[in-house]
Amino acid sequence: MIDHSNRGSGSVTRERILEIAEQLFHERGYGATGVATVLRAAGVRSGSLYHFFRGKEALLLGVLARHLALLRIRVFEPVERATDDPLERVFALLQLYMRNLESSGFTLGCLVGNLALEVADTIPTARVPIDRYFDTWSGEVQRWLEAAGGRLPADADRPALARTVLAVMEGGVMQARAHRELRPFAAAVGQLRSYLESLEARARRERTESGQSPSGEGRRPDPTRRGINGSAWRTW
Amino acid sequence: MIDHSNRGSGSVTRERILEIAEQLFHERGYGATGVATVLRAAGVRSGSLYHFFRGKEALLLGVLARHLALLRIRVFEPVERATDDPLERVFALLQLYMRNLESSGFTLGCLVGNLALEVADTIPTARVPIDRYFDTWSGEVQRWLEAAGGRLPADADRPALARTVLAVMEGGVMQARAHRELRPFAAAVGQLRSYLESLEARARRERTESGQSPSGEGRRPDPTRRGINGSAWRTW
DNA sequence: TCTTTAGTTGATCAATCATTCAACATTTTC
DNA sequence: GAAAATGTTGAATGATTGATCAACTAAAGA
């Protein structure tokens, strides 16, 4: 038996298969995309695909790995180029998804979100990279929120906030696709903005009350809460 | 050709097929559920199913119609029994989804959310009932928010807030299923609570400033904003 | 140059897919 | 109680599914 783990990682054929499969999985979903469709679109015969991937599930894992590897280049870097303001980056990120929705006629939202709901239970091995993708995505948002330092209250739960941003994105994408309109998505983003502004306002208030100078990079806040028994637990 | 529209609406067989199909679509998804699986689980032969439904897509539409019809009994009524406080009902609603996730081993989240991402593009006729389901869901939340009256600021956008609650639910369910933990969901719900509390605090402040008495049922707030050209537009 | 490894071909497979329909059974209508 | 409408049976259909593999070619290493 052939060892398929890492077969021809650099091969152009392998890359083309992954590229096409990613596109088709995003447009039609994993189950609805036949291997034959991938083969036809990639201009490749079945033997080649099964030379690089043990089967369709392995192809899915390859697509997910590639998708995660490209997350920074495709998403974070454009957003970070768009604005230096760490809090505005949150909204530039959400706007990126809104633009992609609109320019694709509300078909292309979040591939990983689609797969999370479609295969998380039926293909257990796929759940892990999906989970890791969400971790990375919200982790970057969390870093932006932490970079905002004292602009947010010290006790504001940044990890939980980052998970909320992800929820608003996925829930917004879902509603926008169902509605074929950005409006419900934009409404949720507007409320998120209003929430962050209220947090900034509170931070300003507390800062002037205690007579502190506005520090650009605030000290790292404590991201934990105390449980009733005194133990620390993470809220996300 | 037989007219399938409304074939034997009350038939016990038809009802059993819908019940089983709903369950299987929720557990495995629409595409991954074969008609043969539905037939076996329902203890029915193919002819019966095709007597009531033109095909698999029509079965899906039947499931969606039934699911919408049961939304009040299954979701809203239990929540409204749980608490009279209109704002607490929002969180009782979210808690209902959390409980269902946990008791099903993180497999059963929101059927309509799953279907929205799986078939919204590929089965255009299904998009309409999915859309209507989201409308009804967020519409009820909106009604609760409006029932909170003056406890929320007059300018708080209740329809947009309701859409945000829906986004938090769907995004939270998605993350919880990917993580196989409630934590990310609970984190987002916690932030939503914090947001609503900040809105309540502001409403209290503005109420005392203008010297008004706290009214249980506030006058209906203006759910519109003024655009740059003076026209009103809905934000959701 | 010879050998080995990597990559490609495409016919072929069994399994599953959604769907059909003539025959039969039951219930309703008049 | 005859006729009509409604519901049920289950074998059969053709299309599509993911996957296999022996034969072949191209590239890499000695």
Short mmCIF file of all heavy atoms in Angstrom, two decimals, chain C residues 9-23:
data_model
loop_
_atom_site.label_atom_id
_atom_site.label_comp_id
_atom_site.label_asym_id
_atom_site.label_seq_id
_atom_site.Cartn_x
_atom_site.Cartn_y
_atom_site.Cartn_z
P DT C 9 -3.06 12.14 -17.64
OP1 DT C 9 -2.99 13.10 -18.75
OP2 DT C 9 -3.83 12.45 -16.43
"O5'" DT C 9 -3.57 10.76 -18.21
"C5'" DT C 9 -2.75 10.04 -19.14
"C4'" DT C 9 -3.29 8.63 -19.31
"O4'" DT C 9 -2.98 7.86 -18.14
"C3'" DT C 9 -4.80 8.54 -19.48
"O3'" DT C 9 -5.08 8.19 -20.83
"C2'" DT C 9 -5.24 7.47 -18.48
"C1'" DT C 9 -3.93 6.83 -18.05
N1 DT C 9 -3.88 6.32 -16.64
C2 DT C 9 -3.80 4.96 -16.42
O2 DT C 9 -3.78 4.13 -17.31
N3 DT C 9 -3.75 4.62 -15.08
C4 DT C 9 -3.77 5.48 -13.99
O4 DT C 9 -3.72 5.04 -12.86
C5 DT C 9 -3.85 6.88 -14.31
C7 DT C 9 -3.86 7.88 -13.20
C6 DT C 9 -3.90 7.24 -15.60
P DG C 10 -6.43 8.70 -21.52
OP1 DG C 10 -6.21 8.69 -22.97
OP2 DG C 10 -6.90 9.90 -20.84
"O5'" DG C 10 -7.42 7.51 -21.17
"C5'" DG C 10 -7.06 6.18 -21.51
"C4'" DG C 10 -7.96 5.20 -20.81
"O4'" DG C 10 -7.55 5.06 -19.44
"C3'" DG C 10 -9.44 5.60 -20.76
"O3'" DG C 10 -10.23 4.43 -20.95
"C2'" DG C 10 -9.61 6.10 -19.33
"C1'" DG C 10 -8.70 5.13 -18.62
N9 DG C 10 -8.30 5.53 -17.29
C8 DG C 10 -8.29 6.80 -16.76
N7 DG C 10 -7.89 6.84 -15.51
C5 DG C 10 -7.63 5.51 -15.20
C6 DG C 10 -7.16 4.95 -14.00
O6 DG C 10 -6.89 5.50 -12.95
N1 DG C 10 -7.01 3.56 -14.10
C2 DG C 10 -7.28 2.83 -15.24
N2 DG C 10 -7.08 1.52 -15.15
N3 DG C 10 -7.72 3.36 -16.37
C4 DG C 10 -7.87 4.70 -16.28
P DA C 11 -11.46 4.44 -21.92
OP1 DA C 11 -11.02 4.92 -23.24
OP2 DA C 11 -12.58 5.12 -21.23
"O5'" DA C 11 -11.79 2.88 -21.99
"C5'" DA C 11 -10.74 1.93 -22.07
"C4'" DA C 11 -10.88 0.88 -20.96
"O4'" DA C 11 -10.47 1.46 -19.69
"C3'" DA C 11 -12.30 0.36 -20.75
"O3'" DA C 11 -12.26 -1.05 -20.65
"C2'" DA C 11 -12.75 1.03 -19.46
"C1'" DA C 11 -11.45 1.16 -18.71
N9 DA C 11 -11.42 2.24 -17.71
C8 DA C 11 -11.79 3.54 -17.91
N7 DA C 11 -11.66 4.29 -16.84
C5 DA C 11 -11.20 3.42 -15.87
C6 DA C 11 -10.85 3.60 -14.52
N6 DA C 11 -10.95 4.77 -13.89
N1 DA C 11 -10.42 2.51 -13.84
C2 DA C 11 -10.32 1.34 -14.48
N3 DA C 11 -10.61 1.05 -15.74
C4 DA C 11 -11.04 2.15 -16.39
P DT C 12 -13.59 -1.92 -20.46
OP1 DT C 12 -13.33 -3.28 -20.98
OP2 DT C 12 -14.73 -1.09 -20.94
"O5'" DT C 12 -13.70 -2.03 -18.86
"C5'" DT C 12 -12.60 -2.56 -18.10
"C4'" DT C 12 -13.01 -2.60 -16.64
"O4'" DT C 12 -12.84 -1.29 -16.05
"C3'" DT C 12 -14.48 -2.99 -16.43
"O3'" DT C 12 -14.55 -4.14 -15.61
"C2'" DT C 12 -15.09 -1.76 -15.78
"C1'" DT C 12 -13.88 -1.10 -15.13
N1 DT C 12 -14.02 0.35 -14.88
C2 DT C 12 -13.66 0.85 -13.64
O2 DT C 12 -13.23 0.15 -12.75
N3 DT C 12 -13.81 2.21 -13.51
C4 DT C 12 -14.31 3.09 -14.45
O4 DT C 12 -14.40 4.29 -14.18
C5 DT C 12 -14.67 2.51 -15.71
C7 DT C 12 -15.22 3.39 -16.81
C6 DT C 12 -14.51 1.19 -15.86
P DC C 13 -15.95 -4.87 -15.36
OP1 DC C 13 -15.72 -6.32 -15.54
OP2 DC C 13 -17.00 -4.17 -16.13
"O5'" DC C 13 -16.18 -4.59 -13.81
"C5'" DC C 13 -15.12 -4.80 -12.88
"C4'" DC C 13 -15.50 -4.22 -11.53
"O4'" DC C 13 -15.30 -2.79 -11.54
"C3'" DC C 13 -16.97 -4.45 -11.20
"O3'" DC C 13 -17.09 -5.44 -10.18
"C2'" DC C 13 -17.50 -3.09 -10.74
"C1'" DC C 13 -16.29 -2.18 -10.76
N1 DC C 13 -16.59 -0.85 -11.36
C2 DC C 13 -16.48 0.30 -10.57
O2 DC C 13 -16.12 0.19 -9.39
N3 DC C 13 -16.76 1.49 -11.13
C4 DC C 13 -17.14 1.56 -12.41
N4 DC C 13 -17.41 2.78 -12.91
C5 DC C 13 -17.25 0.40 -13.23
C6 DC C 13 -16.97 -0.78 -12.66
P DA C 14 -18.43 -6.34 -10.17
OP1 DA C 14 -18.01 -7.76 -10.18
OP2 DA C 14 -19.41 -5.83 -11.14
"O5'" DA C 14 -18.96 -5.99 -8.71
"C5'" DA C 14 -18.03 -5.74 -7.66
"C4'" DA C 14 -18.58 -4.69 -6.73
"O4'" DA C 14 -18.60 -3.40 -7.40
"C3'" DA C 14 -20.02 -4.96 -6.27
"O3'" DA C 14 -20.07 -4.73 -4.88
"C2'" DA C 14 -20.84 -3.96 -7.08
"C1'" DA C 14 -19.87 -2.80 -7.23
N9 DA C 14 -20.10 -1.94 -8.39
C8 DA C 14 -20.45 -2.32 -9.65
N7 DA C 14 -20.58 -1.32 -10.49
C5 DA C 14 -20.31 -0.20 -9.72
C6 DA C 14 -20.28 1.17 -10.02
N6 DA C 14 -20.54 1.67 -11.23
N1 DA C 14 -19.96 2.01 -9.02
C2 DA C 14 -19.70 1.52 -7.81
N3 DA C 14 -19.70 0.26 -7.40
C4 DA C 14 -20.01 -0.56 -8.42
P DA C 15 -21.45 -4.94 -4.07
OP1 DA C 15 -21.13 -5.60 -2.79
OP2 DA C 15 -22.46 -5.50 -4.98
"O5'" DA C 15 -21.83 -3.42 -3.75
"C5'" DA C 15 -20.81 -2.51 -3.35
"C4'" DA C 15 -21.39 -1.12 -3.17
"O4'" DA C 15 -21.48 -0.48 -4.46
"C3'" DA C 15 -22.81 -1.12 -2.58
"O3'" DA C 15 -22.86 -0.16 -1.55
"C2'" DA C 15 -23.70 -0.76 -3.77
"C1'" DA C 15 -22.76 0.07 -4.65
N9 DA C 15 -23.07 -0.02 -6.07
C8 DA C 15 -23.31 -1.14 -6.80
N7 DA C 15 -23.56 -0.91 -8.08
C5 DA C 15 -23.48 0.47 -8.18
C6 DA C 15 -23.65 1.34 -9.27
N6 DA C 15 -23.93 0.94 -10.50
N1 DA C 15 -23.51 2.67 -9.03
C2 DA C 15 -23.21 3.08 -7.79
N3 DA C 15 -23.03 2.35 -6.69
C4 DA C 15 -23.18 1.03 -6.96
P DT C 16 -24.14 -0.06 -0.59
OP1 DT C 16 -23.63 0.18 0.77
OP2 DT C 16 -25.06 -1.18 -0.89
"O5'" DT C 16 -24.82 1.29 -1.11
"C5'" DT C 16 -24.01 2.45 -1.29
"C4'" DT C 16 -24.71 3.41 -2.21
"O4'" DT C 16 -24.80 2.85 -3.53
"C3'" DT C 16 -26.16 3.73 -1.80
"O3'" DT C 16 -26.23 5.08 -1.38
"C2'" DT C 16 -26.98 3.45 -3.05
"C1'" DT C 16 -25.92 3.44 -4.14
N1 DT C 16 -26.25 2.66 -5.36
C2 DT C 16 -26.40 3.32 -6.56
O2 DT C 16 -26.27 4.53 -6.67
N3 DT C 16 -26.70 2.52 -7.63
C4 DT C 16 -26.87 1.13 -7.62
O4 DT C 16 -27.14 0.53 -8.64
C5 DT C 16 -26.69 0.51 -6.33
C7 DT C 16 -26.85 -0.98 -6.21
C6 DT C 16 -26.40 1.29 -5.27
P DC C 17 -27.60 5.67 -0.83
OP1 DC C 17 -27.23 6.59 0.25
OP2 DC C 17 -28.54 4.55 -0.61
"O5'" DC C 17 -28.12 6.53 -2.07
"C5'" DC C 17 -27.22 7.43 -2.73
"C4'" DC C 17 -27.84 7.95 -4.01
"O4'" DC C 17 -27.65 6.99 -5.06
"C3'" DC C 17 -29.34 8.12 -3.92
"O3'" DC C 17 -29.63 9.39 -3.36
"C2'" DC C 17 -29.75 8.05 -5.38
"C1'" DC C 17 -28.71 7.08 -5.98
N1 DC C 17 -29.21 5.71 -6.23
C2 DC C 17 -29.71 5.36 -7.49
O2 DC C 17 -29.73 6.24 -8.37
N3 DC C 17 -30.15 4.11 -7.70
C4 DC C 17 -30.10 3.21 -6.72
N4 DC C 17 -30.54 1.98 -6.97
C5 DC C 17 -29.60 3.54 -5.42
C6 DC C 17 -29.18 4.79 -5.22
P DA C 18 -31.09 9.54 -2.72
OP1 DA C 18 -31.03 10.73 -1.84
OP2 DA C 18 -31.50 8.24 -2.16
"O5'" DA C 18 -32.01 9.85 -3.97
"C5'" DA C 18 -31.66 10.93 -4.82
"C4'" DA C 18 -32.51 10.88 -6.08
"O4'" DA C 18 -32.38 9.59 -6.70
"C3'" DA C 18 -34.00 11.09 -5.83
"O3'" DA C 18 -34.53 11.91 -6.86
"C2'" DA C 18 -34.57 9.68 -5.88
"C1'" DA C 18 -33.64 8.99 -6.85
N9 DA C 18 -33.50 7.55 -6.60
C8 DA C 18 -33.19 6.94 -5.43
N7 DA C 18 -33.14 5.63 -5.49
C5 DA C 18 -33.44 5.35 -6.81
C6 DA C 18 -33.55 4.14 -7.53
N6 DA C 18 -33.36 2.93 -6.98
N1 DA C 18 -33.87 4.22 -8.84
C2 DA C 18 -34.06 5.43 -9.38
N3 DA C 18 -33.98 6.64 -8.82
C4 DA C 18 -33.66 6.53 -7.50
P DT C 19 -36.07 12.27 -6.89
OP1 DT C 19 -36.22 13.56 -7.60
OP2 DT C 19 -36.58 12.12 -5.52
"O5'" DT C 19 -36.73 11.14 -7.81
"C5'" DT C 19 -36.17 10.88 -9.08
"C4'" DT C 19 -36.84 9.71 -9.74
"O4'" DT C 19 -36.45 8.49 -9.09
"C3'" DT C 19 -38.38 9.73 -9.70
"O3'" DT C 19 -38.86 9.90 -11.03
"C2'" DT C 19 -38.76 8.36 -9.12
"C1'" DT C 19 -37.48 7.56 -9.31
N1 DT C 19 -37.30 6.44 -8.33
C2 DT C 19 -37.33 5.15 -8.80
O2 DT C 19 -37.49 4.87 -9.98
N3 DT C 19 -37.16 4.18 -7.84
C4 DT C 19 -36.96 4.38 -6.48
O4 DT C 19 -36.82 3.44 -5.71
C5 DT C 19 -36.95 5.76 -6.05
C7 DT C 19 -36.76 6.09 -4.61
C6 DT C 19 -37.12 6.71 -6.99
P DT C 20 -40.40 10.08 -11.31
OP1 DT C 20 -40.53 11.05 -12.41
OP2 DT C 20 -41.10 10.29 -10.03
"O5'" DT C 20 -40.83 8.66 -11.87
"C5'" DT C 20 -40.04 8.05 -12.87
"C4'" DT C 20 -40.52 6.63 -13.12
"O4'" DT C 20 -40.15 5.80 -12.01
"C3'" DT C 20 -42.05 6.50 -13.26
"O3'" DT C 20 -42.33 5.91 -14.53
"C2'" DT C 20 -42.46 5.59 -12.10
"C1'" DT C 20 -41.18 4.86 -11.79
N1 DT C 20 -41.02 4.38 -10.38
C2 DT C 20 -40.86 3.03 -10.14
O2 DT C 20 -40.84 2.20 -11.03
N3 DT C 20 -40.71 2.70 -8.82
C4 DT C 20 -40.71 3.57 -7.73
O4 DT C 20 -40.56 3.15 -6.59
C5 DT C 20 -40.89 4.97 -8.05
C7 DT C 20 -40.90 5.97 -6.95
C6 DT C 20 -41.03 5.30 -9.35
P DC C 21 -43.75 6.14 -15.23
OP1 DC C 21 -43.48 6.21 -16.67
OP2 DC C 21 -44.46 7.22 -14.53
"O5'" DC C 21 -44.49 4.78 -14.91
"C5'" DC C 21 -43.79 3.55 -15.00
"C4'" DC C 21 -44.63 2.42 -14.43
"O4'" DC C 21 -44.27 2.20 -13.05
"C3'" DC C 21 -46.14 2.71 -14.44
"O3'" DC C 21 -46.82 1.53 -14.84
"C2'" DC C 21 -46.44 3.05 -12.99
"C1'" DC C 21 -45.44 2.17 -12.26
N1 DC C 21 -45.09 2.65 -10.90
C2 DC C 21 -44.57 1.75 -9.97
O2 DC C 21 -44.42 0.57 -10.29
N3 DC C 21 -44.26 2.20 -8.73
C4 DC C 21 -44.44 3.48 -8.42
N4 DC C 21 -44.12 3.88 -7.19
C5 DC C 21 -44.97 4.42 -9.36
C6 DC C 21 -45.27 3.97 -10.58
P DA C 22 -47.86 1.63 -16.07
OP1 DA C 22 -47.06 1.81 -17.30
OP2 DA C 22 -48.91 2.60 -15.72
"O5'" DA C 22 -48.49 0.16 -16.08
"C5'" DA C 22 -47.61 -0.97 -16.15
"C4'" DA C 22 -47.96 -1.95 -15.04
"O4'" DA C 22 -47.61 -1.36 -13.75
"C3'" DA C 22 -49.44 -2.33 -14.95
"O3'" DA C 22 -49.53 -3.73 -14.69
"C2'" DA C 22 -49.93 -1.51 -13.77
"C1'" DA C 22 -48.70 -1.51 -12.88
N9 DA C 22 -48.64 -0.43 -11.90
C8 DA C 22 -49.05 0.87 -12.08
N7 DA C 22 -48.86 1.62 -11.02
C5 DA C 22 -48.29 0.77 -10.08
C6 DA C 22 -47.87 0.95 -8.75
N6 DA C 22 -47.94 2.13 -8.12
N1 DA C 22 -47.35 -0.11 -8.11
C2 DA C 22 -47.28 -1.28 -8.75
N3 DA C 22 -47.65 -1.58 -9.99
C4 DA C 22 -48.15 -0.50 -10.61
P DA C 23 -50.90 -4.53 -14.88
OP1 DA C 23 -50.64 -5.69 -15.74
OP2 DA C 23 -51.94 -3.54 -15.22
"O5'" DA C 23 -51.18 -5.04 -13.40
"C5'" DA C 23 -50.15 -5.74 -12.71
"C4'" DA C 23 -50.42 -5.66 -11.22
"O4'" DA C 23 -50.19 -4.31 -10.77
"C3'" DA C 23 -51.86 -6.00 -10.81
"O3'" DA C 23 -51.84 -7.16 -9.98
"C2'" DA C 23 -52.36 -4.76 -10.07
"C1'" DA C 23 -51.07 -4.06 -9.69
N9 DA C 23 -51.20 -2.62 -9.55
C8 DA C 23 -51.63 -1.72 -10.49
N7 DA C 23 -51.65 -0.48 -10.07
C5 DA C 23 -51.20 -0.56 -8.75
C6 DA C 23 -50.99 0.41 -7.76
N6 DA C 23 -51.21 1.71 -7.94
N1 DA C 23 -50.52 -0.02 -6.56
C2 DA C 23 -50.29 -1.32 -6.39
N3 DA C 23 -50.44 -2.33 -7.24
C4 DA C 23 -50.91 -1.88 -8.42
#
